[in-house]
Amino acid sequence: MDYYPIFLDLRYRTCLVLGGGENAARKAEGLLKAGAEVVLMTPALEPPTEALLAAHPDRVHHRAKAYTPGDEEGAALVLSACEDDAIDRAVHAACTARGIPVNVVDRPAFCSYITPALVDRSPLLVAISSGGAAPVLARQIRSRLETMLPATYGRLVALAGRLRDRVQQALPAFDQRLRFWERVFDGPAAEAVLSGREAEGEERMVRILEEEAAQQNPMGEVFLVGAGPGDPDLLTFRALRLMQRADVVLYDRLVAPALVDLARKDAERIPVGKAKNHHTVPQEEINRRLADLAASGKRVLRLKGGDPFIFGRGGEELEGLLERGIPFQVVPGVTAAQGCAAYAGIPLTHRDYAQSCRFLTGHRRDGRLDITEWGPFHEDETLVFYMGLSNLPEICRQLLDAGMPADHPAAVVEQGTTPAQRVVTATLETLTDRVTEAALGGPALTIVSKTVRLAPSLTWFHGAEDAPPAFPNHGCLSAEVPARSG
Ligand code: SAH
């Protein structure tokens, strides 16, 4: 962050504005809105500042002189819009020496603070800043937010402000209050206020408050959420909404840190990552923790890479919750096969080349891999192997033994959908060597399909050559195939 955002209380404080033109008038108006008193310092008023003075004779005071150092004394804030280089330099130097915040319009070098683009739904304020780098973009974002936030939002926020103390008393625990406000803002109570029925909205809020206060030990809930394969843009809206709600997040190593960052800022984060050969937290322990946390009233986000029901043990985790009567929701995610296929330009089905598609595991619970159990295999289907990198030589060999042609196309996609994505395309006969040469690590997915031939023409996504790994805590997965880090 280049700037630290704050909101200043300027009520009844004196602010000094230099200049007599349009800019000075506009800036002074903003200060007046925030309750400040304004001293307008300019040798001569111009029509915009004259009008301002006429409109606020009691709160705008004109001092008919040019600024000289010392004039800033006693000001809570100084703003220069006089477009005079010597004065701008002098006022910046004097204010900096005295520790008074100073802003010179359009001259970032002379500003100790900058003013954001604003969506004003007082008491709700949304401030947007590009740090001076792209003010037009900041204004565009403001316009979008303007349309998203109905004008009545101010009413809603003001009402919430009036109820605050009462809510604090009725619901002493932070989690309870959070739940209360979410019920209020997500439901008919807020809806009523936003559509102008303020009394009805308030009544509803009070009723919800009574209900929540009566609930002694509210049961929590588990959100089993698929986070997709890595690119945060592939999250669903529902996943994002629940991520904002959770009190605790349990995530494993196949969730990229960029995704975990999107959870509520003050949510407790518990990594329960399972790296091959070093299971940090055993599955039973994860199941028990999920149930315990929810039973203590928490909303628990169980964040899974890809989709929770595709090689994600989602089913096992829900069984544990069922036994203890804990409510849950499941949010599907884009599974690695879909993400990698789309971002590598390898269609999973195609009317000419692959009329069906299977997702298989390349790593069995007992370590033994005999894929011929799932045969026969067809040249016109797509096979996708999850967790198969360490068994890649074995997978290719067994497919060849089962009668697939040596020149059948196959690919490995590493860190798919992330800037670190790498794709190796080859044939069943050459894939292992190509992957070893490229030193692919994990997570990686193997796609065996005639559609791999389409990759060169359908590729659209290019990772960045020097991108850091998106899964930095992903262990080396392979004995036969060395990971990039060795
Ligand atoms: N539930 C997950 C799969 C978990 S199994 C899903 O639906 O995607 C873990 C395996 O998924 C990894 O070993 C790897 O084969 C695959 N995988 C997950 N994310 C991946 C990614 N970004 N790129 C390539 N493969 C990935």
Side-chain angles (χ1 to χ4, degrees):
M1 269 202 305
D2 291 334
Y3 291 89
Y4 182 70
I6 54 171
F7 291 93
L8 275 183
D9 180 359
L10 289 178
R11 280 169 302 172
Y12 312 116
R13 307 282 306 276
T14 301
C15 299
L16 177 65
V17 176
L18 311 181
E22 179 64 38
N23 266 342
R26 234 177 346 105
K27 296 289 179 185
E29 235 166 67
L31 294 167
L32 291 172
K33 272 195 195 156
E37 307 269 321
V38 173
V39 171
L40 204 56
M41 187 170 283
T42 177
L45 292 170
E46 293 169 40
T49 39
E50 259 169 14
L52 189 77
L53 200 65
H56 305 274
D58 48 340
R59 289 173 57 212
V60 182
H61 315 280
H62 178 212
R63 284 185 69 190
K65 72 182 281 287
Y67 168 86
T68 50
D71 287 340
E72 72 285 347
E73 191 175 347
L77 193 104
V78 175
L79 228 152
S80 173
C82 66
E83 294 173 25
D84 178 316
D85 184 62
I87 291 185
D88 288 343
R89 278 171 199 280
V91 74
H92 173 254
C95 289
T96 309
R98 285 182 188 247
I100 299 174
V102 58
N103 177 291
V104 176
V105 174
D106 289 337
R107 303 197 67 181
F110 294 148
C111 293
S112 68
Y113 70 93
I114 54 176
T115 46
L118 203 61
V119 182
D120 185 357
R121 301 284 184 272
S122 286
L124 176 75
L125 290 175
V126 183
I128 306 130
S129 166
S130 65
V136 175
L137 180 67
R139 281 201 291 275
Q140 280 183 359
I141 293 174
R142 177 186 57 189
S143 309
R144 273 194 240 158
L145 290 174
E146 288 276 5
T147 59
M148 280 168 59
L149 299 174
T152 38
Y153 248 91
R155 285 245 176 71
L156 178 62
V157 179
L159 176 56
R162 288 201 298 279
L163 280 181
R164 229 181 106 127
D165 287 345
R166 200 164 151 190
V167 174
Q168 187 94 18
Q169 276 171 8
L171 305 174
F174 173 79
D175 287 355
Q176 278 179 305
R177 292 199 294 278
L178 191 70
R179 193 185 310 268
F180 164 76
W181 287 119
E182 280 174 2
R183 270 186 75 186
V184 163
F185 293 135
D186 277 354
E191 219 29 74
V193 181
L194 291 179
S195 53
R197 306 188 313 275
E198 204 168 326
E200 179 195 329
E202 184 164 356
E203 252 171 55
R204 284 179 183 271
M205 287 188 198
V206 172
R207 227 176 302 142
I208 297 175
L209 185 60
E210 285 163 0
E211 273 171 33
E212 289 288 332
Q215 254 193 354
Q216 275 314 307
N217 276 321
M219 174 65 97
E221 192 178 358
V222 172
F223 311 137
L224 179 61
V225 173
D231 182 349
D233 276 5
L234 295 180
L235 272 181
T236 60
F237 285 125
R238 199 164 141 74
L240 198 60
R241 209 167 55 232
L242 294 180
M243 286 167 85
Q244 292 300 314
R245 280 203 182 173
D247 305 311
V248 191
V249 185
L250 273 81
Y251 62 96
D252 57 34
R253 97 202 131 91
L254 260 188
V255 180
L259 286 161
V260 183
D261 282 351
L262 294 174
R264 212 178 84 209
K265 288 286 166 268
D266 54 349
E268 187 187 349
R269 289 161 164 73
I270 308 181
V272 290
K274 295 187 290 294
K276 200 183 168 199
N277 299 334
H278 31 95
H279 289 239
T280 14
V281 184
Q283 187 63 50
E284 302 72 48
E285 169 69 11
I286 295 177
N287 297 359
R288 198 180 54 72
R289 264 207 214 175
L290 284 175
D292 285 351
L293 284 163
S296 73
K298 302 252 187 248
R299 278 160 313 179
V300 187
L301 179 77
R302 177 68 178 112
L303 202 56
K304 294 277 193 182
D307 180 275
F309 280 179
I310 296 182
F311 302 123
R313 303 193 191 176
E316 293 171 46
E317 293 183 7
L318 295 186
E319 280 162 26
L321 301 176
L322 268 181
E323 279 166 22
R324 293 181 52 184
I326 291 174
F328 57 79
Q329 304 183 30
V330 184
V331 182
V334 172
T335 188
Q338 295 172 299
C340 292
Y343 280 54
I346 304 174
L348 291 174
T349 68
H350 189 289
R351 283 195 296 176
D352 296 329
Y353 309 117
Q355 289 84 43
S356 67
C357 171
R358 279 198 273 172
F359 297 167
L360 310 165
T361 172
H363 177 82
R364 297 288 284 273
R365 214 176 199 168
D366 52 12
R368 181 187 54 90
L369 186 73
D370 182 2
I371 62 174
T372 52
E373 289 173 14
W374 302 316
F377 301 104
H378 304 283
E379 287 178 44
D380 283 341
E381 76 172 330
T382 296
L383 302 173
V384 182
F385 289 92
Y386 285 71
M387 299 171 284
L389 195 56
S390 52
N391 284 328
L392 186 63
E394 197 53 23
I395 290 170
C396 293
R397 193 188 56 73
Q398 290 187 16
L399 286 173
L400 292 171
D401 289 351
M404 296 285 275
D407 64 351
H408 193 72
V412 170
V413 182
E414 181 207 35
Q415 309 223 15
T417 78
T418 76
Q421 168 174 302
R422 291 196 293 166
V423 183
V424 169
T425 58
T427 65
L428 280 179
E429 193 167 40
T430 57
L431 186 63
T432 305
D433 286 346
R434 294 291 98 79
V435 166
T436 309
E437 279 159 26
L440 292 197
L445 198 78
T446 305
I447 305 178
V448 179
S449 176
K450 284 185 185 167
T451 58
V452 168
R453 288 206 191 100
L454 301 175
S457 47
L458 297 186
T459 297
W460 59 272
F461 176 76
H462 301 284
E465 266 295 295
D466 51 353
F471 301 89
N473 46 1
H474 192 280
C476 170
L477 272 185
S478 162
E480 296 93 331
V481 184
R484 205 186 336 204
S485 57

